[in-house]
């Protein structure tokens, strides 16, 4: 069981089931909502239980972003598919996860370099974003 929360604790979640390795997203929307890039894992929707009130922002026709209306913590990215993305920094305690790659590198900020040797995709990469351990 994995648990997490926003900064103030008003929104909490638990995940029963496996989490995908962490993927760093460098798209413009992620950079604007976080102030840098986003590091997110994901889990099957039916394995995620959320308590508290999540505020949802429809950031594109295909996706919305979930955050705490009290403290503003970014928690979720909810797009098409069977999984809900969870911002890795909101997980409580050791996650056991590792960073597996980077997406939307064409949109990354000019003030930093990606130098960790992990796979990089100019845009989305289903091979990275849909991988879930068995």
């Amino acid at each position: 069981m994995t648990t997490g929360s926003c900064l103030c604790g008003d929104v909490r979640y638990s995940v029963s089931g496996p989490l995908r390795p962490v993927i760093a997203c460098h798209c413009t929307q992620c950079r604007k909502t976080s102030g840098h890039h986003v590091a997110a894992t994901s889990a099957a929707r039916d394995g995620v239980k959320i308590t508290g009130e999540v505020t949802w922002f429809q950031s594109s026709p295909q996706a919305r972003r979930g955050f705490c209306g009290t403290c503003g913590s970014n928690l979720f990215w909810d797009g098409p598919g069977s999984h809900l993305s969870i911002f890795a920094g909101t997980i409580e305690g050791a996650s056991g996860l590792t960073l597996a790659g980077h997406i939307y590198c064409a949109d990354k900020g000019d003030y930093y370099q990606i130098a960790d040797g992990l796979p990089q995709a100019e845009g989305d990469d289903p091979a990275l974003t849909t991988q879930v351990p068995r």
Side-chain angles (χ1 to χ4, degrees):
M1 179 75 67
T2 301
T3 61
S5 70
C6 64
L7 180 60
C8 73
D10 281 357
V11 178
R12 303 191 63 71
Y13 64 85
S14 61
V15 180
S16 59
L19 294 169
R20 179 198 70 202
V22 175
I23 303 298
C25 182
H26 302 268
C27 79
T28 301
Q29 287 188 6
C30 281
R31 290 190 304 113
K32 287 187 177 271
T33 62
S34 72
H36 192 39
H37 60 79
V38 163
T41 183
S42 71
R45 290 178 192 283
D46 61 2
V48 180
K49 180 182 177 188
I50 300 170
T51 57
E53 188 171 336
V54 176
T55 300
W56 293 97
F57 172 69
Q58 192 74 40
S59 56
S60 73
Q62 299 83 22
R64 62 187 186 155
R65 294 166 182 274
F67 61 96
C68 174
T70 302
C71 69
S73 293
N74 292 305
L75 297 162
F76 308 108
W77 182 89
D78 185 20
S82 61
H83 285 67
L84 177 67
S85 291
I86 301 166
F87 287 20
T90 66
I91 295 172
E92 295 171 338
S95 70
L97 299 173
T98 58
L99 187 65
H102 303 266
I103 58 173
Y104 290 97
C105 295
D107 295 344
K108 78 167 206 56
D110 63 353
Y111 60 91
Y112 65 94
Q113 299 300 314
I114 303 170
D116 56 18
L118 295 172
Q120 297 181 28
E122 292 295 304
D124 188 22
D125 185 347
L128 286 174
T129 60
T130 59
Q131 61 177 310
V132 176
R134 299 193 195 293

